[in-house]
């Protein structure tokens, strides 16, 4: 009898697995289901759609309740309405060329953006874009990666980036690149709006550019590190973040770094607000060419600007901010 069952199983197995349609009363999937190359891990029946994601399917019942609630205006709580307005599921990116290269107009690069729930957006920049606005969708905060190469032969590329939320605007990156160099960017915790500006100016014979590696390490839990060069706009390094790059100084013997610390407050929806002075005592360490140059204490509730003169002997420097 067992031999007969085994024979029947062998005969019918190829037929079962060779069919494109399977009819059954019930099927249980413990992990995930692949549909057209995409994995679905769960069915979402939450009418608020707070738990919606790329690996879930919302039922028509949940979608109907959500649409009815939004369309009617009633039934949406004050908290839900406020969160929808101040914490939208998108990132607005504003891009501009502030000036054009002298000999080359072929800059081509891609801005890569990923939301906290895994939605990826790629935007290609090429040709002449004097001003462009686009959006990346998904749940904030977002992270952004991009590389911009200076393809000119006689111009300096200038890169600037800032971010804005409902409370404030803060500067993220300021960099320059000579011919053949590449500006690399990796930024996290983005919300609201991002402004990116790229400018170029002709490299004159009297200019001397000295490359210096700069590293900013903010080990504080809730204080912001601000760095300025020769009195320029402060670049913020947010709490727990690090930044490292090659920066080109045009006057090797007439440069000064300006260092400050600020207190940052984070709202319930994750926006940053930066105050003028730190609210706790901090320790500041300044390294020149790998060796500790200065160590200072920044007092709380007092605005203190630390000035560090530089000369042509500097090849790299590192700024470290720590909680005391």
């Amino acid at each position: 009898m067992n031999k007969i069952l085994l024979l029947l199983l062998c005969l019918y197995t190829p037929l079962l697995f060779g069919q494109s349609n399977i009819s059954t009363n019930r099927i249980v999937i413990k992990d995930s289901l692949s549909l057209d190359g995409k994995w679905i891990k769960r069915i979402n029946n939450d009418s608020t759609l707070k738990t919606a994601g790329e690996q879930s399917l919302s039922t028509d019942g949940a979608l109907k309740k959500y649409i009815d609630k939004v369309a009617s205006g009633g039934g949406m709580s004050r908290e839900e309405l406020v969160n929808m307005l101040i914490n939208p599921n998108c990132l607005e990116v504003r891009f501009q060329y502030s000036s054009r290269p002298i000999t080359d107009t072929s800059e081509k690069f891609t801005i890569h953006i990923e939301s906290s729930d895994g939605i990826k957006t790629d935007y290609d920049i090429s040709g002449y874009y004097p001003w462009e606005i686009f959006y990346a969708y998904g749940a904030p905060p977002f992270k952004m990666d991009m590389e911009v190469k200076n393809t000119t032969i006689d111009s300096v590329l200038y890169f600037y980036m800032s971010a804005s939320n409902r409370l404030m605007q803060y500067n993220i990156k300021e960099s320059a690149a000579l011919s053949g160099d590449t500006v690399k960017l990796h930024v996290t915790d983005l919300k609201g709006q991002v402004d990116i500006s790229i400018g170029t100016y002709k490299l004159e014979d009297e200019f001397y550019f000295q490359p210096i590696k700069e590293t900013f390490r903010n080990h504080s839990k809730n204080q912001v590190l601000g760095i300025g060069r020769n009195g320029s706009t402060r670049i913020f390094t947010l709490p727990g973040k690090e930044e490292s790059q090659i920066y080109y100084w045009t006057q090797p013997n007439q440069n000064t770094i300006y260092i400050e610390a600020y207190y940052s407050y984070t709202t319930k929806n994750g926006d940053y607000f930066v105050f003028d002075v730190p609210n706790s005592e901090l320790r500041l360490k300044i390294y020149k060419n790998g060796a500790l140059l200065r160590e200072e204490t920044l007092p709380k509730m007092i605005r203190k600007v630390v000035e560090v003169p530089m000369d042509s002997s500097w090849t790299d420097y590192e700024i470290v901010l720590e909680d005391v």
Side-chain angles (χ1 to χ4, degrees), residues 219-287:
H219 295 164
S220 175
K221 292 182 180 179
N222 55 9
Q223 312 295 318
V224 173
L225 174 63
I227 304 292
R229 311 178 189 91
N230 291 342
S232 64
T233 303
R234 297 297 190 270
I235 302 298
F236 286 171
T237 303
L238 299 178
K241 303 298 182 181
E242 297 186 356
E243 174 74 18
S244 181
Q245 67 175 10
I246 299 294
Y247 189 79
Y248 291 94
W249 296 82
T250 58
Q251 298 172 312
N253 294 310
Q254 302 178 35
N255 293 315
T256 302
I257 311 169
Y258 298 86
I259 309 170
E260 289 185 83
Y262 316 86
Y263 168 62
S264 67
Y265 171 75
T266 305
T267 64
K268 289 183 178 180
N269 73 312
D271 284 343
Y272 279 104
F273 183 76
V274 178
F275 293 89
D276 287 337
V277 294
N279 70 340
S280 64
E281 195 174 79
L282 297 165
R283 182 183 297 108
L284 180 67
K285 295 180 180 179
I286 304 166
Y287 295 85

Side-chain angles (χ1 to χ4, degrees), residues 126-170:
S126 61
Y128 184 74
Y129 283 86
W131 185 266
E132 190 74 14
I133 300 178
F134 65 93
Y135 296 87
Y137 295 94
F142 295 81
K143 63 181 180 181
M144 178 184 294
D145 293 273
M146 60 187 294
E147 293 186 1
V148 185
K149 185 176 181 179
N150 184 357
T151 59
T152 69
I153 60 174
D154 61 353
S155 303
V156 179
L157 184 145
Y158 176 81
F159 182 93
Y160 177 79
M161 179 178 181
S162 65
S164 304
N165 56 44
R166 291 289 175 130
L167 296 177
M168 66 169 296
Q169 180 180 16
Y170 53 96

